[in-house]
């Protein structure tokens, strides 16, 4: 059983930076990890993904060049570094995981395991 616990959310001004962490328990090395977010009144959307075994990363167009996903195998932790934050980045951010698949899913149905979420609020 894979368990995910996010941390690091908070309040930040527009243009600022924030880092999120996702502690992973019970993960096989070959899993794919992802971050999603859900703003009030909106559907949960894909943000970024990491194929742990290969180190390949994937990003939504809206965050490309501003956000960076990374993983630390020794600490079994996935990170999301968010720079140049905008008010529209305000959302609850979720960590997700699934067994390795060649084509990385960008929909919530593609992931089996989810964290509880952490709030990120960007003020203008």
């Amino acid at each position: 059983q894979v368990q995910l616990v996010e941390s690091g959310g908070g309040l930040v001004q527009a243009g600022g930076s924030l880092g999120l962490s996702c502690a992973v328990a019970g993960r096989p090395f070959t899993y794919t990890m992802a971050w999603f977010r859900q703003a009030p009144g909106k559907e949960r959307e894909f943000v970024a993904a990491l194929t742990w075994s290969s180190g390949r990363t994937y990003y939504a167009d809206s965050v490309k060049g501003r956000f960076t996903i990374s993983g630390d195998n020794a600490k079994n932790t996935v990170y999301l570094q968010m720079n140049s934050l905008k008010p529209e980045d305000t959302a609850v951010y979720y960590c997700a995981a699934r067994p390795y698949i060649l084509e990385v899913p960008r929909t919530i149905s593609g992931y089996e395991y989810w964290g509880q979420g952490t709030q990120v609020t960007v003020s203008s």
Side-chain angles (χ1 to χ4, degrees):
Q1 183 73 15
V2 177
Q3 294 181 319
L4 311 174
V5 179
E6 303 98 333
S7 61
L11 174 64
V12 63
Q13 288 189 333
S17 299
L18 202 61
L20 304 182
S21 300
C22 174
V24 186
R27 170 193 66 89
F29 178 72
T30 56
Y31 265 41
T32 292
M33 306 297 301
W35 287 95
F36 283 72
R37 67 186 182 186
Q38 187 165 18
K42 295 188 177 181
E43 295 185 350
R44 194 172 298 187
E45 65 175 3
F46 173 82
V47 174
L50 167 71
T51 301
W52 216 309
S53 55
S54 69
R56 291 191 65 179
T57 57
Y58 308 81
Y59 296 94
D61 288 342
S62 59
V63 307
K64 201 172 294 182
R66 299 188 298 122
F67 290 13
T68 302
I69 186 172
S70 62
D72 185 328
N73 276 318
K75 296 182 178 179
N76 257 352
T77 301
V78 177
Y79 304 98
L80 184 68
Q81 178 61 38
M82 305 181 292
N83 299 328
S84 301
L85 282 161
K86 306 175 182 179
E88 51 263 44
D89 293 319
T90 294
V92 177
Y93 283 70
Y94 296 90
C95 182
R98 63 151 295 128
Y100 172 80
I101 189 170
L102 184 60
E103 187 170 341
V104 172
R106 294 179 179 237
T107 59
I108 58 175
S109 61
Y111 292 85
E112 297 180 22
Y113 304 100
W114 293 86
Q116 81 287 353
T118 186
Q119 176 71 46
V120 172
T121 302
V122 184
S123 63
S124 56

